[in-house]
Amino acid sequence: MNLFDQNDVSKQLDHVRIVMVNTTLPANIGSALRAMKTMGLSKLILVAPKTYPHPDIDALAAGAQDLIEKIQIVDTLEQAIEDCHLVFGTSARSRTIPWPLLDVRPAAQESLKAANLDQNIAIVFGREDRGLTNEELALANYHLTIPVNPSYGVLNVAQAIQVVCYELRMAALELNQQNTDQTHPQEHMQLKQNQSMQWDEPLVTQKQMEEFYPHLEKMLTEIEFLDPNNPRLLPLRLRRLFGRIQLDRMEYHLLRGIFSRVQALANGSWKKTQTEDHSHD
């Protein structure tokens, strides 16, 4: 692979961030940094780590000191992924309700397709003892799993990060070998039956979707479709639905406009005007 290709791989992997939530052992942070640098990733975000900074991080991140300087610390997972378009939550199993689930290899391939389109991707890892909560997993578009030996599926978080980073690098190398149109990449939206098409609008970010869901739930509450005191699994199923679809910017504004119109009709505050523009194209 020539230098130009190596630069392309680095640029693509720069769109991928590793997120570690409430990490307890500083050594795992250091080991994760070393795993990342070995495979060409450089963005690590720590969500409310139990102990930071710590000498064990420096010791285990031997040769990856430059990545320590780039670490970002945030208070919540929402902050860590707010500008991301695609989020994977690592999970050994699906909980509460089934969620779109990908093994690490196809997840890495989807990540690099998105990175090639200048989208931001987050791979989220949970606590050493109990992983991610159901609420945290619900923030992801997909759940990611590593197909380990079912009779001994024991990987600590740093080992899991090493596996994921390896697959991301392999996906980046494969994509660069197969890509025949590096000069003018165009955004694609996945359709049914693994088809794709050229897309005319950018996909929305997780931060935008975290404004979308409360609006949707408020509208459903006002029309008495959703009982806020007994929502059951409806909000979670709606998150799964729209997370799977991945709205583009036009669809996002169109749906929020519909929500606002329904709210206005429900409370009697909407009046049709002759000058109103009905075009959403």
Side-chain angles (χ1 to χ4, degrees):
M1 178 171 287
N2 60 36
L3 181 60
F4 176 80
D5 292 331
Q6 292 283 8
N7 287 337
D8 266 5
V9 169
S10 297
K11 289 178 182 178
Q12 290 162 352
L13 292 176
D14 280 344
H15 286 282
V16 183
R17 69 192 60 175
I18 300 297
V19 180
M20 300 176 72
V21 177
N22 292 157
T23 307
T24 300
L25 299 176
N28 280 330
I29 299 173
S31 296
L33 288 169
R34 188 164 60 181
M36 291 169 59
K37 184 159 187 178
T38 301
M39 295 301 156
L41 286 87
S42 61
K43 294 184 178 179
L44 176 64
I45 299 182
L46 303 178
V47 178
K50 299 296 184 182
T51 305
Y52 185 89
H54 194 277
D56 286 353
I57 297 176
D58 300 81
L60 271 294
Q65 295 295 125
D66 55 324
L67 269 61
I68 294 178
E69 299 172 3
K70 297 180 181 179
I71 290 176
Q72 297 181 47
I73 310 293
V74 297
D75 295 324
T76 67
L77 178 55
E78 288 85 351
Q79 291 173 322
I81 64 174
E82 65 179 6
D83 62 335
C84 290
H85 304 85
L86 186 60
V87 177
F88 292 90
T90 55
S91 176
R93 64 192 183 279
S94 183
R95 311 181 211 179
T96 309
I97 66 172
W99 210 265
L101 179 69
L102 289 176
D103 284 348
V104 60
R105 184 157 297 175
Q109 292 167 347
E110 290 301 315
S111 296
L112 267 295
K113 290 177 185 176
N116 203 42
L117 303 169
D118 291 329
Q119 297 173 21
N120 296 323
I121 304 97
I123 316 290
V124 184
F125 295 84
R127 302 152 189 84
E128 290 95 335
D129 57 344
R130 55 192 176 91
L132 296 167
T133 67
N134 290 333
E135 292 75 16
E136 289 163 345
L137 284 168
L139 296 174
N141 301 103
Y142 296 93
H143 293 174
L144 181 155
T145 187
I146 297 173
V148 296
N149 177 3
S151 63
Y152 189 73
V154 180
L155 279 178
N156 72 26
V157 65
Q159 291 171 329
I161 290 173
Q162 179 73 81
V163 172
V164 170
C165 290
Y166 168 78
E167 291 293 347
L168 286 165
R169 183 163 191 83
M170 294 305 294
L173 294 172
E174 180 180 359
L175 181 64
N176 277 274
Q177 291 172 355
Q178 295 178 349
N179 196 338
T180 59
D181 189 15
Q182 293 280 342
T183 308
H184 301 290
Q186 294 187 359
E187 191 155 7
H188 288 69
M189 174 69 73
Q190 293 301 311
L191 303 177
K192 293 182 179 179
Q193 299 176 343
N194 295 321
Q195 297 175 348
S196 65
M197 63 176 286
Q198 294 181 0
W199 214 249
D200 58 345
E201 290 284 338
L203 301 182
V204 298
T205 65
Q206 288 296 313
K207 182 178 182 180
Q208 290 171 302
M209 289 307 293
E210 290 310 308
E211 297 170 355
F212 176 90
Y213 293 121
H215 191 182
L216 171 58
E217 292 176 24
K218 188 172 188 298
M219 180 270 292
L220 293 176
T221 300
E222 290 181 10
I223 63 173
E224 299 183 3
F225 188 86
L226 172 67
D227 181 355
N229 297 315
N230 187 25
R232 299 181 182 273
L233 292 176
L234 179 58
L236 195 59
R237 290 187 182 278
L238 290 170
R239 278 182 173 269
R240 182 177 68 173
L241 168 63
F242 287 106
R244 187 170 71 245
I245 293 173
Q246 288 187 267
L247 298 175
D248 70 23
R249 181 174 57 190
M250 183 66 73
E251 294 163 341
Y252 172 86
H253 289 298
L254 175 61
L255 284 171
R256 292 203 63 180
I258 292 172
F259 299 163
S260 296
R261 175 65 57 84
V262 170
Q263 289 175 295
L265 288 169
N267 62 35
S269 64
W270 180 72
K271 294 182 180 180
K272 183 176 180 180
T273 64
Q274 293 182 347
T275 59
E276 184 177 2
D277 180 9
H278 295 279
S279 172
H280 298 284
D281 297 332

